């Protein structure tokens, strides 16, 4: 059975205003990937929404790291990794249909129950993965 989402690498999810928030941990990971210091990463690649750092955008509205492909894909922020399996779809599946209007990889030709089920499962998998990473990090700190 074909999934309800298959990335086409079109970059449409990397465009739009509102911002991709980055946590301190994500800043460290991306900075390490780029081989720069976290402060330099913030100074060079971030803007602020209130007091929270967000990834900068080019004048065309695309993320500063989008150039026909994501230039930080192995280190991309959790907001990017989550797309389009986000909690707002579970709150109201209409959100899926709205997002699908700008994402060719999102299917709308399937029942809403299937969209909810796949979204819920992807979120569960992501949460389990985070818990495993935290457990592994805690165990490493104990040694």
């Amino acid at each position: 059975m074909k999934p309800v989402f298959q990335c086409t690498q079109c970059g449409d999810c990397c465009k739009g205003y509102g911002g991709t928030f980055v946590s301190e941990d994500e800043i460290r990971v991306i900075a390490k990937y780029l081989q720069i210091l976290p402060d330099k990463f913030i100074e060079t690649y971030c803007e602020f929404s209130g007091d929270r750092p967000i990834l900068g955008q080019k004048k065309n509205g695309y993320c500063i790291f989008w150039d026909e492909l994501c230039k930080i894909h192995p280190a991309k922020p959790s907001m990017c990794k989550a797309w389009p399996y986000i909690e707002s779809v579970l709150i109201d599946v209409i959100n899926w249909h709205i997002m699908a209007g700008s994402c060719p990889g999102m299917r709308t030709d399937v029942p809403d129950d299937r969209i909810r089920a796949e979204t819920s499962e992807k979120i569960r998998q992501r949460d389990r993965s985070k818990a495993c990473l935290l457990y592994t990090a805690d165990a490493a700190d104990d040694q």
Side-chain angles (χ1 to χ4, degrees):
M1 182 175 0
K2 226 171 116 180
V4 297
F5 171 70
Q6 183 130 17
C7 183
T8 64
Q9 298 183 340
C10 69
D12 287 350
C13 58
C14 302
K15 185 177 185 179
Y17 297 95
T20 299
F21 290 102
V22 285
S23 69
E24 287 181 32
D25 287 338
E26 290 169 333
I27 289 168
R28 280 192 293 275
V29 168
I30 299 168
K32 183 177 180 180
Y33 179 78
L34 296 172
Q35 300 179 335
I36 60 175
L37 294 172
D39 287 345
K40 184 68 174 172
F41 170 79
I42 292 169
E43 178 185 316
T44 307
Y45 298 107
C46 290
E47 298 170 7
F48 282 83
S49 177
D51 61 349
R52 294 178 65 190
I54 59 173
L55 294 182
Q57 291 181 298
K58 299 176 192 171
K59 289 182 182 183
N60 64 6
Y62 280 95
C63 172
I64 198 164
F65 292 108
W66 176 256
D67 187 18
E68 301 307 315
L69 286 173
C70 177
K71 296 302 180 191
I72 60 167
H73 186 77
K76 68 184 177 180
S78 58
M79 276 183 77
C80 302
K81 290 177 187 173
W83 178 267
Y85 300 110
I86 58 176
E87 285 77 8
S88 67
V89 171
L90 299 179
I91 294 167
D92 189 343
V93 77
I94 294 296
N95 289 315
W96 179 275
H97 295 279
I98 292 168
M99 295 181 330
S102 64
C103 178
M106 296 172 71
R107 293 180 60 198
T108 57
D109 63 338
V110 295
D112 288 349
D113 288 346
R114 182 158 165 229
I115 293 168
R116 278 190 207 94
E118 281 193 38
T119 300
S120 182
E121 180 56 27
K122 292 291 185 179
I123 291 170
R124 269 195 298 279
Q125 288 172 2
R126 196 167 59 234
D127 290 348
R128 279 194 300 268
S129 177
K130 282 182 200 172
C132 287
L133 288 173
L134 290 173
Y135 176 78
T136 303
D138 287 346
D141 288 345
D142 291 343
Q143 295 182 2

